Every structure is written in structure tokens, then in C-alpha cells.
């Protein structure tokens, strides 16, 4: 065997045909570390990978999916990220007013995660955390960036797309970006080969209900929001404005349009590894749905919109299966934060959890999450362990053999949670920050300590109707401990019964403040990185 490897390696080094054969180039990209002692004695790990790749190509003993350790080809990845979807908005998590057959199918073919949380409960910050594996607080992205924002994701951050591309993956983003709208911040400047979508939230336009009401009061007033553009980009720093002024009819087509483009990209790259990021603008208000789903749910516009999102998931799953690549594609479905409750019948439900978007109660940042990977994830299973969107970067990096950035990240590798019922959450503590740069709570898998902070609430009142919100009240919570195992709705303070838990979590809160800062206690973090900022010579998006 060792002699054969030596001969094969010499052939690869000296034969230009072998060095450039597309099959070998493809397999070399997919090479992983090996643990064969003879290889380690003979050469570096990379050389061993090339040797085994060559043998697979020449002798066919391992096939196209063989690697040095005999492992299968790393998976394709499809990440479907929904906007403002509450925990209980789909069938696998309790929705009953409308059907979600494709998400039900995804759950039956994969795994449901019932304690899956985001970094925070608002758009840009949550998305920054998702794509970098960091608490948003660490990388300086706070709140929801708007059309006048001068900041965005830093060039120094390494996104999930960049990790995938380092392993030879084709990468694409179709949908809402919201990490800076100027060219240096857009997806193609941060690891994506292709981008098509809107630069920020779909309500950041002249038809925002508050702007409409203000303009009615004063018809001569200037709109608070510019027109909403539709963008396309296929190179760093370059962007084309496809539609400078999106209208309701354009938003009605958006879910189908983004889905069709994602499907086309998957078909185009079916023979190579790919990463598709599909951040749908729905179910964020204003709600829009295509004619095919208008009135279909019988549960109002919100139900119609969720059904169309469900259709989108089905279209992705069917395409993967039709192409014969479904078994080795990791499909992830989750949300950026909980429901925007002030919009009432145009908002979703947090189910058993307290509050919603804009708070760090469980209803604000605990979201539905499904993962399907038939080759690896056991079908029809559930995981109740604490895990997060920030874990996806290190987990996918581990699965595809990508090197993580040298700077600190906060996510953990949760590969074991994908398939092992005995695996436990890797998070000893989880920091719950909310805008503006404030620590609101510290979590463990069981306990949650809220530190004193204000929060918004409807105080039991119903939300708005027809796309018009009602105002929130502002309330305050003091140092409060909840036992989430017994009280997931965060209703009963048990701090007096568990002073040792309060002390432990309060100490963890101090460590979080020291490292990441906290505006509520006027603390500056020791390990916070700045966001990207526009310079005088940077190109700007003009439309």
C-alpha cells in the first residue's frame, strides 16, 4: 500500500494531465485530515489527502465521495432564514390554524431543535451573529441598520460563506441582507459568489405605516424612508440596482422569486459543493403573498404568508431530492428572532414563551429550528439542548473541514447534537444582549438570570390589525431568576430559593460585561471588535 501511494504521488507531481484533471481538483478541495499512522509518518496530512484522492480517481475503489479517512463527501448546505417568525408559527412547533406540510415533512425526515436561540432579538444584530459565529456585541453590529447607516459588517470578520468558499463551495445569497447596504458591505464582498435581494428590511420604504400616517397629516412633508431597491451583485464592490423603487406588486412576488433563483443555483451547481443562504424577507411586515396563496390558509394574511414560505421549503427539498443530492445536503430552517407582537394579526406567536421580538425573554430569541440531512441526521427526532445560530459557523466549518478564523468566536461545534441523543449542550453560559449594547440576561441550559433592565411589552393588550401596530409600554425587571425547565414562560421568580445559582450567574454576567461591555452598567468590553465603517473614498449605493 505504501509503495502504491509513493508511485501515485510521483504520478500526480509529474503528470500535468493528472494534476489538472477536474475530478482530482474537485476531490482535492474536499480532502480532509486523515489519521492513518503510515501517512503521518510519510508526509504531511495534506499530502496524504492528495495521495488517497489520486487512488480514488485512478482505481475507483472509493468513488467521488472518498477522502483520506474514508469519510463521505462533506455536505452541501442550504440555510433558510425567516424574518420575525415566532416559535409556534409552523406545524412542528404547534401551529394549527394553517397547514405547513413541507415543514412537517422536513421535521419527519430530520431533527427538531426545541431550545434553539439567536444572539439577540432584532434583525441586523441577529444576522451578523449567524454569519460570523459571534455574539453581535463582540463585532459591533447592534439593532437594525437602516438606509442612512454608515456601518456594516467588517472586512476583518470571516463569514460562513467565506469558510465555505475556502473549501471550494459555490456560494449564493438570495433575500434580505441587512448587514450594510453600500457595496463594501454587501454579500459579494463577504464570501458570496452571487447576491440577489433587498439590502435591509422590507418595511424600510415610503409605505411604512408610520410614514404613511405622517404624510397624510402633512402631504408636503418629505418621506422618512427612501424607495426600497432590489439589488444584484456577482463581484466584490459591484452592484446593480434592478429596481430602484419596489412596489407592493414586487413584494408579492418576492418569496417565489427568491425561491426560484435558489433552485436555479442549486441545479447549476449540483455537481459541486454549494452553500445557499436564503434569508426570506417574510414573515416581516408588511406582509405580502403571491396570488397562488392569497386566502389559501383560511387564517388571514399571516397564515397565507407562512404557507408560501412552507411551499418554498418544499420546492428546495424537492429539487435536492430530484437531483439525487438530498441525502448529503444539510438543510437548516430557522428564524432571526421572535414575532413582532405589536402587529397583532400580522404577527406570529411565541407559543408558551414570554414576550416577543425586541426583548430577551424567551419569546424574543428562542425560535423554531429544523435540520435535515438524511445521510447523518436521524429522521423524526428532536433535540431539547440549548444551542444557537452562533453555533452554525463552527459546526459547518467542522463538517466541511474549514479552518475557523484566528480571532475569538462564541459559537460551539454542535455536530454531536445533530445525531446523538446523549449529547449535551456545549454552552456553559449564554449571554443575552439587546440593543443598545446592553446585557439583559445570562442563561444556562436550565437557569436564566435577568439582570435589571427595561423592556417593551403590550402588558396583556392585543396587538394591532391590518398591518398597523399598537404602541408598546415600557416596563422594568429587576434581578430575577427563572427555572426554565419548570417554568419556560418565565413567570415565577425563584431567586430567593436558589441564591447559589444567582451568585453563579451574576458572576458570569460580570465576566460578560468585562469582555463584551454593557451600556446599562457603563462598561467597556476588553474584546470587542469594531464594525466596518464607510470611508470618504468608499463607493456608495446610489439609486
Amino acid at each position: 500500500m505504501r509503495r502504491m501511494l509513493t508511485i501515485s504521488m510521483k504520478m500526480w507531481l509529474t503528470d500535468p494531465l493528472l494534476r489538472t484533471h477536474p475530478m482530482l481538483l474537485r476531490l482535492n478541495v474536499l480532502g480532509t485530515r486523515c489519521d492513518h499512522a503510515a501517512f503521518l509518518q510519510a508526509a504531511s496530512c495534506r499530502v496524504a489527502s492528495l495521495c488517497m484522492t489520486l487512488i480514488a480517481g485512478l482505481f475507483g475503489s472509493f468513488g467521488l465521495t472518498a477522502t483520506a479517512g474514508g469519510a463521505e463527501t462533506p455536505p452541501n448546505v442550504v440555510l433558510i432564514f425567516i424574518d420575525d417568525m415566532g416559535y409556534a408559527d409552523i406545524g412542528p412547533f404547534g401551529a394549527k390554524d394553517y397547514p405547513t406540510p413541507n415543514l412537517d415533512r422536513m421535521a419527519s425526515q430530520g431533527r427538531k431543535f426545541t431550545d434553539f436561540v439567536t444572539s439577540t432579538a432584532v434583525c441586523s444584530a441577529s444576522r451578523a451573529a449567524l454569519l460570523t459565529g459571534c455574539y453581535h456585541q463582540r463585532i459591533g453590529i447592534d439593532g437594525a441598520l437602516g438606509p442612512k447607516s454608515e456601518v456594516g459588517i467588517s472586512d476583518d470578520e470571516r463569514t460562513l460563506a467565506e469558510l465555505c468558499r475556502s473549501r471550494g463551495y459555490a456560494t449564493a445569497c438570495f433575500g434580505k441582507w441587512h448587514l450594510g447596504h453600500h457595496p463594501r458591505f454587501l454579500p459579494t464582498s463577504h464570501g458570496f459568489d452571487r447576491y440577489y435581494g433587498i439590502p435591509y428590511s422590507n418595511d424600510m420604504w415610503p409605505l411604512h405605516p408610520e410614514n404613511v400616517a405622517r404624510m397624510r397629516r402633512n402631504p408636503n412633508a418629505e418621506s422618512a424612508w427612501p424607495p426600497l431597491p432590489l439589488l444584484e451583485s456577482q463581484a466584490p464592490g459591484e452592484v446593480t440596482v434592478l429596481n430602484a423603487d419596489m412596489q407592493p406588486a414586487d413584494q408579492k412576488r418576492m418569496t417565489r422569486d427568491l425561491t426560484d433563483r435558489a433552485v436555479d443555483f442549486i441545479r447549476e451547481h449540483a455537481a459541486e459543493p454549494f452553500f445557499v443562504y436564503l434569508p426570506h424577507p417574510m414573515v416581516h411586515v408588511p406582509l405580502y403573498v403571491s396570488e397562488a396563496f392569497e386566502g389559501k390558509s383560511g387564517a388571514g394574511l399571516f397564515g397565507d404568508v407562512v404557507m408560501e414560505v412552507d411551499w418554498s421549503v418544499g420546492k428546495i427539498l424537492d429539487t435536492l431530492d430530484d437531483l439525487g443530492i438530498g441525502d448529503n445536503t444539510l438543510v437548516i430552517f430557522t428564524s432571526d428572532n421572535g414575532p413582532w407582537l405589536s402587529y397583532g394579526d400580522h404577527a406570529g406567536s411565541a407559543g408558551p414563551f414570554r414576550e416577543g421580538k425586541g426583548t430577551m425573554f424567551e419569546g424574543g430569541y428562542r425560535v423554531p429550528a429544523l435540520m435535515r440531512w438524511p445521510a447523518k441526521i436521524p429522521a423524526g427526532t428532536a433535540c431539547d439542548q440549548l444551542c444557537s445560530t452562533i453555533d452554525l459557523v463552527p459546526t459547518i466549518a467542522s463538517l466541511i473541514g474549514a479552518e475557523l478564523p484566528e480571532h475569538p468566536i462564541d459559537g460551539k461545534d454542535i455536530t454531536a447534537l445533530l445525531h446523538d441523543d446523549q449529547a449535551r449542550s456545549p454552552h456553559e453560559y449564554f449571554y443575552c444582549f439587546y440593543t443598545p449594547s446592553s446585557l439583559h440576561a445570562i442563561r444556562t441550559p436550565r437557569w436564566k438570570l435577568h439582570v435589571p433592565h427595561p423592556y417593551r411589552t403590550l402588558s396583556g393588550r392585543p396587538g394591532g390589525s391590518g398591518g398597523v401596530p399598537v404602541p408598546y409600554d415600557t416596563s422594568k425587571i429587576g434581578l430575577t431568576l427563572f427555572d426554565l425547565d419548570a417554568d419556560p414562560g418565565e413567570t415565577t421568580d425563584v431567586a430567593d430559593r436558589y441564591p447559589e445559582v444567582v451568585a453563579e450567574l451574576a458572576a458570569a454576567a460580570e465576566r460578560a460585561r468585562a469582555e463584551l461591555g454593557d451600556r446599562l452598567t457603563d462598561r467597556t468590553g476588553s474584546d470587542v471588535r469594531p464594525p466596518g465603517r464607510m470611508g470618504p473614498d468608499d463607493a456608495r449605493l446610489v439609486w
Side-chain angles (χ1 to χ4, degrees), residues 399-421:
L399 293 174
I400 69 175
E403 293 186 7
L404 290 172
E406 294 182 359
H407 57 232
I409 68 169
D410 302 294
K412 312 292 185 184
D413 183 355
I414 59 168
T415 300
L417 295 182
L418 304 188
H419 62 85
D420 184 355
D421 291 339

Side-chain angles (χ1 to χ4, degrees), residues 35 39 42 126 156 173 222 230 265 336 401:
D35 57 6
F39 290 173
S126 178
D156 294 332
C173 171
E222 183 178 349
L230 178 67
F265 186 86
D336 66 340

Side-chain angles (χ1 to χ4, degrees), residues 269 272 328 332 348:
H269 296 279
E272 60 185 307
N328 200 38
I332 302 166

Side-chain angles (χ1 to χ4, degrees), residues 213-274:
R214 187 174 66 86
M215 298 289 286
R216 283 174 179 166
R217 292 193 300 269
N218 183 4
N220 296 321
E222 183 178 349
S223 172
W225 298 101
L228 178 67
L230 178 67
L231 309 179
E232 183 173 47
S233 177
Q234 297 190 50
E238 297 180 5
V239 60
T240 299
V241 179
L242 298 176
N243 184 342
D245 189 4
M246 294 189 69
Q247 297 299 311
D250 301 310
Q251 291 220 37
K252 284 185 175 185
R253 293 190 295 267
M254 199 176 307
T255 298
R256 300 182 74 85
D257 187 18
L258 298 173
T259 303
D260 289 344
R261 289 175 181 269
V263 164
D264 289 345
F265 186 86
I266 290 170
R267 291 188 180 279
E268 181 182 345
H269 296 279
E272 60 185 307
F274 59 79

Side-chain angles (χ1 to χ4, degrees), residues 270-341:
E272 60 185 307
F274 59 79
F275 167 48
V276 172
Y277 175 44
L278 181 55
H280 278 296
M282 295 292 108
V283 295
H284 193 292
V285 292
L287 299 179
Y288 287 102
V289 70
S290 70
E291 291 183 3
F293 285 88
E294 285 182 355
K296 189 170 184 177
S297 70
L301 181 56
F302 185 84
D304 297 344
V305 170
V306 176
M307 284 190 66
E308 188 159 37
V309 167
D310 178 80
W311 165 86
S312 172
V313 172
K315 190 78 170 177
I316 297 292
L317 298 181
D318 289 344
T319 298
L320 294 169
D321 292 343
D322 290 346
L323 292 170
I325 57 175
D327 280 354
N328 200 38
T329 299
L330 172 61
V331 182
I332 302 166
F333 177 95
T334 190
S335 174
D336 66 340
N337 48 246
W340 203 344
L341 297 176

Side-chain angles (χ1 to χ4, degrees), residues 196-532:
Y196 174 93
I198 58 175
Y200 35 72
S201 293
N202 68 320
D203 69 335
M204 294 180 174
W205 68 336
L207 296 181
H208 188 290
E210 293 177 0
N211 192 57
V212 169
R214 187 174 66 86
M215 298 289 286
R216 283 174 179 166
R217 292 193 300 269
N218 183 4
N220 296 321
E222 183 178 349
S223 172
W225 298 101
L228 178 67
L230 178 67
L231 309 179
E232 183 173 47
S233 177
Q234 297 190 50
E238 297 180 5
V239 60
T240 299
V241 179
L242 298 176
N243 184 342
D245 189 4
M246 294 189 69
Q247 297 299 311
D250 301 310
Q251 291 220 37
K252 284 185 175 185
R253 293 190 295 267
M254 199 176 307
T255 298
R256 300 182 74 85
D257 187 18
L258 298 173
T259 303
D260 289 344
R261 289 175 181 269
V263 164
D264 289 345
F265 186 86
I266 290 170
R267 291 188 180 279
E268 181 182 345
H269 296 279
E272 60 185 307
F274 59 79
F275 167 48
V276 172
Y277 175 44
L278 181 55
H280 278 296
M282 295 292 108
V283 295
H284 193 292
V285 292
L287 299 179
Y288 287 102
V289 70
S290 70
E291 291 183 3
F293 285 88
E294 285 182 355
K296 189 170 184 177
S297 70
L301 181 56
F302 185 84
D304 297 344
V305 170
V306 176
M307 284 190 66
E308 188 159 37
V309 167
D310 178 80
W311 165 86
S312 172
V313 172
K315 190 78 170 177
I316 297 292
L317 298 181
D318 289 344
T319 298
L320 294 169
D321 292 343
D322 290 346
L323 292 170
I325 57 175
D327 280 354
N328 200 38
T329 299
L330 172 61
V331 182
I332 302 166
F333 177 95
T334 190
S335 174
D336 66 340
N337 48 246
W340 203 344
L341 297 176
S342 64
Y343 277 87
D345 63 0
H346 280 207
S349 168
F353 302 118
R354 182 172 174 178
E355 302 298 344
K357 173 182 179 176
T359 79
M360 294 309 287
F361 290 97
E362 292 298 293
Y365 78 123
R366 192 186 299 206
V367 292
L370 300 171
M371 299 190 198
R372 188 190 91 146
W373 182 11
K376 296 294 182 181
I377 296 178
T381 57
C383 173
D384 63 1
Q385 295 297 300
L386 172 63
C387 49
S388 173
T389 53
I390 65 174
D391 299 330
L392 296 181
V393 163
T395 302
I396 293 170
S398 174
L399 293 174
I400 69 175
E403 293 186 7
L404 290 172
E406 294 182 359
H407 57 232
I409 68 169
D410 302 294
K412 312 292 185 184
D413 183 355
I414 59 168
T415 300
L417 295 182
L418 304 188
H419 62 85
D420 184 355
D421 291 339
Q422 303 305 312
R424 293 294 174 260
S425 172
H427 291 282
E428 184 178 10
Y429 304 104
F430 193 90
Y431 302 157
C432 301
F433 282 91
Y434 186 68
T435 186
S437 302
S438 301
L439 182 68
H440 282 197
I442 296 286
R443 255 208 72 176
T444 71
R446 176 180 176 182
W447 303 101
K448 186 174 182 183
L449 181 70
H450 282 264
V451 297
H453 65 82
Y455 66 95
R456 69 187 195 183
T457 180
L458 292 178
S459 304
R461 295 180 288 111
S465 63
V468 178
V470 298
Y472 284 103
D473 299 327
T474 298
S475 189
K476 293 183 178 180
I477 188 171
L479 192 69
T480 305
L481 180 69
F482 295 115
D483 179 354
L484 295 179
D485 283 355
D487 179 27
E490 297 173 278
T491 63
T492 305
D493 182 10
V494 294
D496 289 345
R497 291 165 51 190
Y498 298 98
E500 72 284 0
V501 175
V502 173
E504 176 192 348
L505 295 186
E510 276 302 296
R511 294 193 294 273
R513 293 179 180 118
E515 184 178 2
L516 300 179
D518 175 28
R519 188 172 296 186
L520 286 175
T521 55
D522 197 25
R523 301 285 290 278
T524 299
S526 63
D527 200 357
V528 175
R529 302 191 290 271

